Amino acid sequence: MENVHLAVEEEDLYSGYNDYNPTFDSEELENDVGFQQAVRTSHGRRPPMTAKFPGTAIGARPLATSFGARIPLASSMGRPMTGAVQDGAARPMTAVRAAGYTSLTRGSTFDPLGQSRGPAPPLEAKNEDTPMEKIKILEKKVNDLIEESCMAQSVGDLQLALDKAKEAGRKERALARQREPFAKADGDINLDLTYSVLLNLANQYENNEMSLEALNSYQVIVKNKMFSNPGRLKVNMANIYVKQKSYPKAIKFYRMALDQISNAHKEMRIKIMQNIGVVFVRMGQYSDAITSFEHIMSESPNIKTGFNLILCYYAIGDRERMKKAFQKLISAPLGIDDEDKYIPSNDDADSGLVIEAIKNDKLHTMERDLKVLTEKCIMTAAKLIAPAIETSFATGFDWCVDMVKSSQYVELANDLEINKANTYLRQKDFNQAVETLKKFEKKDSRVKSAAATNLSFFYFLQKDYDQADRYADLAMTADRYNPAALINKGNTVFVKQDYEKAAEFYKEALRIDSSCTEALYNLGLTYKGLKRLEEALECFLKLHAILRNSAQVMYQLAHLYELLEDPQQAIEWLKQLLSVTHTDPRAQAKLGELYVAEGDKSQAFQCYYESFRYFPSNIDVIEWLGAYYIETMFCEKAIPYFERATLIQPTQVKWQLMVASCYRKSGNYQKALQTYKEIHRKFPDNVECLRFLVRLCTDMGLKEVQEYATKLKKAEKMKEIREQRVKSGREGSARSRREGREGREGSAGSADSGGRSSTKGERLSAKMRSLPGSNEPYEASSPKEIDASYVDPLGPQTERPKTGAKWRVEDDDFADEELGDDLLPE
């Protein structure tokens, strides 16, 4: 209490001025018990000291807070002041901080950010055990599942998308059960989440073609009056009915959706009415469809609706309305800005960069697709109605061309003229087609090049290669960057076997259009003709990467591998070819040929048999199958194939001989004898047939053996004479050429030549005298045995079946004979 001065009535104003106050003694703070206690308890955050010190004012007394609490006094820098006086008692404090300047105490540092206080305490963790927190977590899980379902659908994994949608539905129902107690209290029901879950589930059912489940899910949404605008989903339900071909139900739901959509949503109403019109077309109710389409064309005309309207008028055969609908079609707005905005300007470099950036963006791509669709619809409509709106096709097409010229699609008029020429070609009216195309020779370069290209190809098909070459040059002159013209020029050079020059034209076409498959295919054929097989293989492999299911490309690859002596690769490509075209007989036969080369005759037989089944007139396949059955000792199975070969080539005696030999080889001698007699009737001079007849008649003990023996001898004699005549004719021609050369050398050899000629004439007369007269029976000039020996075309026969009659036992002279090369199939 020594330092506490109480106010008295009379106090010296200067008393205590020089008294020492230990409060400002910072050197003794470490030993100050009060200060150290304050630091340990309040961490130095004591309130600032007052402006008045003890003993400085008369009658001053301690101030207190409004609640009477004593607040520790602090220094101006926040450091706790010592509250002890001389006796160590705590100093009373006030609630009022002194205003104005306060001096810094010794040993303090400037720390306005409070970094010396250390890191802030951690945030208090949320308590996830509360019901509301659990509901929020579950809502987040449901939203995540919906998002995952949509992402799976976007990448094409429809089953995963459906599974995620079902799981989201289960969790949403669990969420609704947890929310029920709180929903009754505060009315907090998340309808948007329920709507999203049901709609996504219905969409995934529809994508997985589960129509009944999708309809049920949509019905749940539509019947719930708490959802906003659920009637729009009836459009989705109508789409499902269209897929199911339940057209009356589809129209019913489309109209229900149309009634629930206000006039403010004009575009949606137009689309629904367009769907109604299309469904009426599928039902064959063209009048109702026309009503819907005409309403759309009057409210919001577009290309698709205009084209559908033309189709309906064409179906009912209304000429005048077809014309009016075509005029509405070509006047329908596209909604596309001018293409000039995509042309860069030379003045502004920045705008050029912007134009380059937007030239291939999605918006410009959509505009190009819409323009292509519009041109396709107009061209198709013109080709469709041209023969119907006028008495002749040409007159109708001319009317369409005139209408197009007066519209915003002026550039399509020339394309229509070219299509007119193509239609003439399909109608086999070649003169009119050529005349129509020749009209373009004086038009602009693009149309002129297209017409000349068509003319070049037309003359190429007619094998008029000079005219084809001329018009190919004309097309290239009009448009050097026309790949079709370069291909036609290369084709005209290719047929002249100038492969190097043809390859240059094909390469130039590929430089202009790298996706030109015709140029790449022809280039491969050119390298193949030049025996540059590796380069040809590279071309066809590139083409196969573009045309994955092209049978021609696969066959060329198989042939190239065969030429490269890689039969296994060739077989693999032919198998791939047959997986695309199962009924190609040539591919089957080629595969069988490769299997024969590999020594696998069983696989070869399967391939040849399939080839014969699809095309039973290929003589090579028939010959191989017959030979296969003969080799496997099933001669009776080879007979139908050789009989079919006889029908295909009736003038070839070898097929009939093969049939007879198969009968004999299989033990049917009566049928064999009958067949040989039929062959002899058709070919009486055939020596082989007579030899067979003589041998068979001898074995069977028939009386006709002498008759056939006589005919055989006569046929052999005539054959020998013919061979001698042919031989002498060749020798005579050679001798004549020799004598001509000798005659030119001098006249000395003329006498010898005359002598040789007379000698030749005498020999010929002697031979003619040896032949019998026309009324005399044929007799041999010298007696000799009949040569009844022959070569069996089927090789040694099997042992003859034993019969009840006793035949003469003798050796078979021709049992060990080999199959004749002239009768065996090659």
Side-chain angles (χ1 to χ4, degrees), residues 663-692:
Y663 280 126
R664 189 188 61 79
K665 196 73 174 176
S666 60
N668 194 348
Y669 294 101
Q670 290 294 336
K671 191 68 176 177
L673 180 61
Q674 182 181 351
T675 306
Y676 280 127
K677 287 181 179 181
E678 185 67 22
I679 296 171
H680 176 65
R681 188 180 64 81
K682 294 179 181 179
F683 304 95
D685 296 332
N686 188 272
V687 176
E688 296 297 329
C689 179
L690 288 171
R691 287 178 181 174
F692 285 128

mmCIF file of all heavy atoms in Angstrom, residues 663-692:
data_model
loop_
_atom_site.group_PDB
_atom_site.id
_atom_site.type_symbol
_atom_site.label_atom_id
_atom_site.label_comp_id
_atom_site.label_asym_id
_atom_site.label_seq_id
_atom_site.Cartn_x
_atom_site.Cartn_y
_atom_site.Cartn_z
ATOM 1 N N TYR A 663 -17.338 -95.903 -115.229
ATOM 2 C CA TYR A 663 -18.274 -97.032 -115.151
ATOM 3 C C TYR A 663 -17.527 -98.367 -115.171
ATOM 4 O O TYR A 663 -17.827 -99.285 -114.401
ATOM 5 C CB TYR A 663 -19.262 -96.977 -116.316
ATOM 6 C CG TYR A 663 -20.394 -95.991 -116.096
ATOM 7 C CD1 TYR A 663 -20.668 -94.993 -117.022
ATOM 8 C CD2 TYR A 663 -21.195 -96.077 -114.974
ATOM 9 C CE1 TYR A 663 -21.703 -94.096 -116.832
ATOM 10 C CE2 TYR A 663 -22.236 -95.183 -114.772
ATOM 11 C CZ TYR A 663 -22.483 -94.192 -115.707
ATOM 12 O OH TYR A 663 -23.507 -93.314 -115.508
ATOM 13 N N ARG A 664 -16.557 -98.473 -116.084
ATOM 14 C CA ARG A 664 -15.820 -99.729 -116.177
ATOM 15 C C ARG A 664 -14.983 -99.979 -114.936
ATOM 16 O O ARG A 664 -14.887 -101.095 -114.426
ATOM 17 C CB ARG A 664 -14.917 -99.708 -117.416
ATOM 18 C CG ARG A 664 -14.273 -101.061 -117.727
ATOM 19 C CD ARG A 664 -13.260 -100.907 -118.832
ATOM 20 N NE ARG A 664 -12.207 -99.998 -118.454
ATOM 21 C CZ ARG A 664 -11.193 -100.337 -117.670
ATOM 22 N NH1 ARG A 664 -11.111 -101.530 -117.151
ATOM 23 N NH2 ARG A 664 -10.268 -99.448 -117.370
ATOM 24 N N LYS A 665 -14.382 -98.923 -114.404
ATOM 25 C CA LYS A 665 -13.540 -99.054 -113.227
ATOM 26 C C LYS A 665 -14.353 -99.463 -112.007
ATOM 27 O O LYS A 665 -13.871 -100.192 -111.129
ATOM 28 C CB LYS A 665 -12.827 -97.730 -112.962
ATOM 29 C CG LYS A 665 -11.651 -97.843 -112.019
ATOM 30 C CD LYS A 665 -10.491 -98.515 -112.703
ATOM 31 C CE LYS A 665 -9.259 -98.500 -111.804
ATOM 32 N NZ LYS A 665 -8.146 -99.230 -112.432
ATOM 33 N N SER A 666 -15.592 -98.990 -111.928
ATOM 34 C CA SER A 666 -16.438 -99.329 -110.802
ATOM 35 C C SER A 666 -17.143 -100.671 -110.962
ATOM 36 O O SER A 666 -17.901 -101.082 -110.092
ATOM 37 C CB SER A 666 -17.482 -98.228 -110.584
ATOM 38 O OG SER A 666 -18.290 -98.089 -111.734
ATOM 39 N N GLY A 667 -16.921 -101.387 -112.103
ATOM 40 C CA GLY A 667 -17.486 -102.718 -112.306
ATOM 41 C C GLY A 667 -18.779 -102.750 -113.067
ATOM 42 O O GLY A 667 -19.330 -103.838 -113.285
ATOM 43 N N ASN A 668 -19.262 -101.609 -113.503
ATOM 44 C CA ASN A 668 -20.514 -101.559 -114.264
ATOM 45 C C ASN A 668 -20.172 -101.656 -115.750
ATOM 46 O O ASN A 668 -20.178 -100.665 -116.478
ATOM 47 C CB ASN A 668 -21.267 -100.271 -113.941
ATOM 48 C CG ASN A 668 -22.698 -100.291 -114.417
ATOM 49 O OD1 ASN A 668 -23.091 -101.170 -115.192
ATOM 50 N ND2 ASN A 668 -23.480 -99.322 -113.960
ATOM 51 N N TYR A 669 -19.910 -102.885 -116.235
ATOM 52 C CA TYR A 669 -19.427 -103.063 -117.603
ATOM 53 C C TYR A 669 -20.526 -102.822 -118.631
ATOM 54 O O TYR A 669 -20.249 -102.331 -119.732
ATOM 55 C CB TYR A 669 -18.854 -104.481 -117.769
ATOM 56 C CG TYR A 669 -17.619 -104.694 -116.942
ATOM 57 C CD1 TYR A 669 -17.682 -105.373 -115.731
ATOM 58 C CD2 TYR A 669 -16.388 -104.198 -117.371
ATOM 59 C CE1 TYR A 669 -16.548 -105.565 -114.965
ATOM 60 C CE2 TYR A 669 -15.251 -104.395 -116.616
ATOM 61 C CZ TYR A 669 -15.331 -105.078 -115.417
ATOM 62 O OH TYR A 669 -14.203 -105.256 -114.663
ATOM 63 N N GLN A 670 -21.750 -103.176 -118.296
ATOM 64 C CA GLN A 670 -22.830 -102.948 -119.242
ATOM 65 C C GLN A 670 -23.009 -101.453 -119.507
ATOM 66 O O GLN A 670 -23.166 -101.024 -120.645
ATOM 67 C CB GLN A 670 -24.132 -103.546 -118.676
ATOM 68 C CG GLN A 670 -24.169 -105.057 -118.648
ATOM 69 C CD GLN A 670 -24.156 -105.654 -120.058
ATOM 70 O OE1 GLN A 670 -24.545 -105.005 -121.031
ATOM 71 N NE2 GLN A 670 -23.660 -106.887 -120.158
ATOM 72 N N LYS A 671 -22.998 -100.668 -118.424
ATOM 73 C CA LYS A 671 -23.118 -99.215 -118.586
ATOM 74 C C LYS A 671 -21.908 -98.650 -119.311
ATOM 75 O O LYS A 671 -22.043 -97.736 -120.145
ATOM 76 C CB LYS A 671 -23.255 -98.570 -117.203
ATOM 77 C CG LYS A 671 -23.638 -97.108 -117.246
ATOM 78 C CD LYS A 671 -25.034 -96.904 -117.766
ATOM 79 C CE LYS A 671 -25.444 -95.440 -117.706
ATOM 80 N NZ LYS A 671 -26.782 -95.214 -118.274
ATOM 81 N N ALA A 672 -20.721 -99.225 -119.031
ATOM 82 C CA ALA A 672 -19.524 -98.763 -119.723
ATOM 83 C C ALA A 672 -19.625 -99.061 -121.205
ATOM 84 O O ALA A 672 -19.297 -98.215 -122.065
ATOM 85 C CB ALA A 672 -18.299 -99.422 -119.120
ATOM 86 N N LEU A 673 -20.082 -100.280 -121.573
ATOM 87 C CA LEU A 673 -20.220 -100.637 -122.991
ATOM 88 C C LEU A 673 -21.233 -99.749 -123.683
ATOM 89 O O LEU A 673 -21.005 -99.272 -124.814
ATOM 90 C CB LEU A 673 -20.637 -102.108 -123.106
ATOM 91 C CG LEU A 673 -20.819 -102.654 -124.523
ATOM 92 C CD1 LEU A 673 -19.503 -102.574 -125.300
ATOM 93 C CD2 LEU A 673 -21.342 -104.078 -124.476
ATOM 94 N N GLN A 674 -22.325 -99.474 -123.000
ATOM 95 C CA GLN A 674 -23.344 -98.598 -123.583
ATOM 96 C C GLN A 674 -22.802 -97.194 -123.806
ATOM 97 O O GLN A 674 -23.072 -96.560 -124.831
ATOM 98 C CB GLN A 674 -24.562 -98.567 -122.650
ATOM 99 C CG GLN A 674 -25.715 -97.733 -123.164
ATOM 100 C CD GLN A 674 -26.880 -97.706 -122.193
ATOM 101 O OE1 GLN A 674 -26.877 -98.462 -121.211
ATOM 102 N NE2 GLN A 674 -27.863 -96.885 -122.472
ATOM 103 N N THR A 675 -22.013 -96.709 -122.838
ATOM 104 C CA THR A 675 -21.433 -95.357 -122.973
ATOM 105 C C THR A 675 -20.426 -95.313 -124.115
ATOM 106 O O THR A 675 -20.387 -94.353 -124.905
ATOM 107 C CB THR A 675 -20.762 -94.952 -121.652
ATOM 108 O OG1 THR A 675 -21.691 -95.082 -120.581
ATOM 109 C CG2 THR A 675 -20.287 -93.513 -121.711
ATOM 110 N N TYR A 676 -19.589 -96.367 -124.236
ATOM 111 C CA TYR A 676 -18.622 -96.392 -125.335
ATOM 112 C C TYR A 676 -19.331 -96.427 -126.687
ATOM 113 O O TYR A 676 -18.883 -95.791 -127.649
ATOM 114 C CB TYR A 676 -17.702 -97.605 -125.186
ATOM 115 C CG TYR A 676 -16.594 -97.385 -124.179
ATOM 116 C CD1 TYR A 676 -16.392 -98.282 -123.134
ATOM 117 C CD2 TYR A 676 -15.749 -96.290 -124.271
ATOM 118 C CE1 TYR A 676 -15.379 -98.096 -122.208
ATOM 119 C CE2 TYR A 676 -14.728 -96.087 -123.354
ATOM 120 C CZ TYR A 676 -14.558 -96.997 -122.333
ATOM 121 O OH TYR A 676 -13.557 -96.795 -121.419
ATOM 122 N N LYS A 677 -20.429 -97.163 -126.782
ATOM 123 C CA LYS A 677 -21.169 -97.193 -128.042
ATOM 124 C C LYS A 677 -21.739 -95.829 -128.378
ATOM 125 O O LYS A 677 -21.726 -95.414 -129.551
ATOM 126 C CB LYS A 677 -22.292 -98.219 -127.938
ATOM 127 C CG LYS A 677 -21.831 -99.666 -127.971
ATOM 128 C CD LYS A 677 -23.014 -100.626 -127.886
ATOM 129 C CE LYS A 677 -22.549 -102.077 -127.946
ATOM 130 N NZ LYS A 677 -23.691 -103.039 -127.879
ATOM 131 N N GLU A 678 -22.227 -95.125 -127.361
ATOM 132 C CA GLU A 678 -22.748 -93.779 -127.604
ATOM 133 C C GLU A 678 -21.634 -92.825 -128.052
ATOM 134 O O GLU A 678 -21.826 -91.992 -128.947
ATOM 135 C CB GLU A 678 -23.407 -93.256 -126.324
ATOM 136 C CG GLU A 678 -24.087 -91.914 -126.469
ATOM 137 C CD GLU A 678 -25.307 -91.978 -127.367
ATOM 138 O OE1 GLU A 678 -25.871 -93.076 -127.549
ATOM 139 O OE2 GLU A 678 -25.678 -90.909 -127.906
ATOM 140 N N ILE A 679 -20.452 -93.003 -127.451
ATOM 141 C CA ILE A 679 -19.309 -92.167 -127.870
ATOM 142 C C ILE A 679 -18.927 -92.496 -129.312
ATOM 143 O O ILE A 679 -18.636 -91.592 -130.117
ATOM 144 C CB ILE A 679 -18.113 -92.387 -126.917
ATOM 145 C CG1 ILE A 679 -18.457 -91.922 -125.504
ATOM 146 C CG2 ILE A 679 -16.878 -91.648 -127.413
ATOM 147 C CD1 ILE A 679 -17.426 -92.300 -124.464
ATOM 148 N N HIS A 680 -18.940 -93.794 -129.668
ATOM 149 C CA HIS A 680 -18.585 -94.184 -131.028
ATOM 150 C C HIS A 680 -19.589 -93.642 -132.036
ATOM 151 O O HIS A 680 -19.223 -93.287 -133.171
ATOM 152 C CB HIS A 680 -18.507 -95.708 -131.128
ATOM 153 C CG HIS A 680 -18.246 -96.195 -132.511
ATOM 154 N ND1 HIS A 680 -17.076 -95.939 -133.192
ATOM 155 C CD2 HIS A 680 -19.037 -96.919 -133.373
ATOM 156 C CE1 HIS A 680 -17.125 -96.474 -134.393
ATOM 157 N NE2 HIS A 680 -18.316 -97.079 -134.533
ATOM 158 N N ARG A 681 -20.857 -93.559 -131.633
ATOM 159 C CA ARG A 681 -21.854 -93.006 -132.541
ATOM 160 C C ARG A 681 -21.606 -91.525 -132.810
ATOM 161 O O ARG A 681 -21.793 -91.048 -133.929
ATOM 162 C CB ARG A 681 -23.247 -93.204 -131.941
ATOM 163 C CG ARG A 681 -24.392 -92.834 -132.870
ATOM 164 C CD ARG A 681 -25.721 -93.069 -132.179
ATOM 165 N NE ARG A 681 -25.880 -92.199 -131.017
ATOM 166 C CZ ARG A 681 -26.272 -90.920 -131.102
ATOM 167 N NH1 ARG A 681 -26.507 -90.351 -132.276
ATOM 168 N NH2 ARG A 681 -26.396 -90.205 -130.000
ATOM 169 N N LYS A 682 -21.167 -90.807 -131.758
ATOM 170 C CA LYS A 682 -20.909 -89.379 -131.930
ATOM 171 C C LYS A 682 -19.543 -89.109 -132.551
ATOM 172 O O LYS A 682 -19.369 -88.153 -133.320
ATOM 173 C CB LYS A 682 -20.995 -88.667 -130.570
ATOM 174 C CG LYS A 682 -22.391 -88.679 -129.967
ATOM 175 C CD LYS A 682 -22.385 -87.981 -128.609
ATOM 176 C CE LYS A 682 -23.748 -87.993 -127.968
ATOM 177 N NZ LYS A 682 -23.759 -87.340 -126.627
ATOM 178 N N PHE A 683 -18.569 -89.941 -132.220
ATOM 179 C CA PHE A 683 -17.199 -89.751 -132.722
ATOM 180 C C PHE A 683 -16.733 -91.078 -133.366
ATOM 181 O O PHE A 683 -15.997 -91.847 -132.743
ATOM 182 C CB PHE A 683 -16.253 -89.354 -131.588
ATOM 183 C CG PHE A 683 -16.687 -88.122 -130.842
ATOM 184 C CD1 PHE A 683 -17.437 -88.225 -129.668
ATOM 185 C CD2 PHE A 683 -16.364 -86.863 -131.317
ATOM 186 C CE1 PHE A 683 -17.838 -87.103 -128.983
ATOM 187 C CE2 PHE A 683 -16.763 -85.731 -130.625
ATOM 188 C CZ PHE A 683 -17.513 -85.832 -129.458
ATOM 189 N N PRO A 684 -17.156 -91.382 -134.592
ATOM 190 C CA PRO A 684 -16.840 -92.696 -135.194
ATOM 191 C C PRO A 684 -15.372 -92.892 -135.506
ATOM 192 O O PRO A 684 -14.923 -94.028 -135.659
ATOM 193 C CB PRO A 684 -17.689 -92.709 -136.476
ATOM 194 C CG PRO A 684 -17.941 -91.266 -136.782
ATOM 195 C CD PRO A 684 -17.991 -90.556 -135.474
ATOM 196 N N ASP A 685 -14.585 -91.869 -135.600
ATOM 197 C CA ASP A 685 -13.169 -91.990 -135.947
ATOM 198 C C ASP A 685 -12.259 -91.983 -134.721
ATOM 199 O O ASP A 685 -11.031 -91.946 -134.873
ATOM 200 C CB ASP A 685 -12.759 -90.845 -136.881
ATOM 201 C CG ASP A 685 -13.491 -90.902 -138.209
ATOM 202 O OD1 ASP A 685 -13.864 -92.025 -138.608
ATOM 203 O OD2 ASP A 685 -13.685 -89.836 -138.828
ATOM 204 N N ASN A 686 -12.828 -91.988 -133.550
ATOM 205 C CA ASN A 686 -11.999 -91.948 -132.350
ATOM 206 C C ASN A 686 -11.389 -93.319 -132.087
ATOM 207 O O ASN A 686 -12.104 -94.303 -131.846
ATOM 208 C CB ASN A 686 -12.847 -91.501 -131.154
ATOM 209 C CG ASN A 686 -12.018 -91.241 -129.915
ATOM 210 O OD1 ASN A 686 -11.781 -92.152 -129.139
ATOM 211 N ND2 ASN A 686 -11.552 -90.002 -129.753
ATOM 212 N N VAL A 687 -10.078 -93.398 -132.137
ATOM 213 C CA VAL A 687 -9.368 -94.664 -132.015
ATOM 214 C C VAL A 687 -9.457 -95.196 -130.594
ATOM 215 O O VAL A 687 -9.634 -96.409 -130.374
ATOM 216 C CB VAL A 687 -7.907 -94.487 -132.460
ATOM 217 C CG1 VAL A 687 -7.117 -95.772 -132.255
ATOM 218 C CG2 VAL A 687 -7.834 -94.043 -133.912
ATOM 219 N N GLU A 688 -9.349 -94.322 -129.592
ATOM 220 C CA GLU A 688 -9.363 -94.778 -128.205
ATOM 221 C C GLU A 688 -10.692 -95.438 -127.859
ATOM 222 O O GLU A 688 -10.729 -96.472 -127.187
ATOM 223 C CB GLU A 688 -9.094 -93.588 -127.276
ATOM 224 C CG GLU A 688 -7.727 -92.965 -127.431
ATOM 225 C CD GLU A 688 -6.622 -93.937 -127.071
ATOM 226 O OE1 GLU A 688 -6.843 -94.799 -126.199
ATOM 227 O OE2 GLU A 688 -5.534 -93.846 -127.666
ATOM 228 N N CYS A 689 -11.799 -94.867 -128.315
ATOM 229 C CA CYS A 689 -13.113 -95.446 -128.048
ATOM 230 C C CYS A 689 -13.232 -96.830 -128.680
ATOM 231 O O CYS A 689 -13.755 -97.772 -128.063
ATOM 232 C CB CYS A 689 -14.191 -94.511 -128.584
ATOM 233 S SG CYS A 689 -15.865 -95.127 -128.354
ATOM 234 N N LEU A 690 -12.735 -96.978 -129.933
ATOM 235 C CA LEU A 690 -12.798 -98.280 -130.603
ATOM 236 C C LEU A 690 -11.942 -99.311 -129.876
ATOM 237 O O LEU A 690 -12.311 -100.485 -129.770
ATOM 238 C CB LEU A 690 -12.357 -98.124 -132.047
ATOM 239 C CG LEU A 690 -13.360 -97.397 -132.966
ATOM 240 C CD1 LEU A 690 -12.737 -97.092 -134.314
ATOM 241 C CD2 LEU A 690 -14.631 -98.227 -133.142
ATOM 242 N N ARG A 691 -10.802 -98.909 -129.379
ATOM 243 C CA ARG A 691 -9.965 -99.855 -128.630
ATOM 244 C C ARG A 691 -10.684 -100.348 -127.381
ATOM 245 O O ARG A 691 -10.636 -101.541 -127.036
ATOM 246 C CB ARG A 691 -8.649 -99.195 -128.249
ATOM 247 C CG ARG A 691 -7.704 -99.009 -129.423
ATOM 248 C CD ARG A 691 -6.450 -98.313 -128.977
ATOM 249 N NE ARG A 691 -5.528 -98.101 -130.088
ATOM 250 C CZ ARG A 691 -4.397 -97.412 -130.008
ATOM 251 N NH1 ARG A 691 -4.048 -96.846 -128.847
ATOM 252 N NH2 ARG A 691 -3.613 -97.269 -131.053
ATOM 253 N N PHE A 692 -11.353 -99.417 -126.682
ATOM 254 C CA PHE A 692 -12.111 -99.830 -125.505
ATOM 255 C C PHE A 692 -13.235 -100.791 -125.878
ATOM 256 O O PHE A 692 -13.495 -101.769 -125.187
ATOM 257 C CB PHE A 692 -12.694 -98.596 -124.783
ATOM 258 C CG PHE A 692 -11.679 -97.805 -124.015
ATOM 259 C CD1 PHE A 692 -11.545 -96.440 -124.205
ATOM 260 C CD2 PHE A 692 -10.860 -98.418 -123.094
ATOM 261 C CE1 PHE A 692 -10.621 -95.709 -123.495
ATOM 262 C CE2 PHE A 692 -9.923 -97.687 -122.366
ATOM 263 C CZ PHE A 692 -9.796 -96.335 -122.566
#
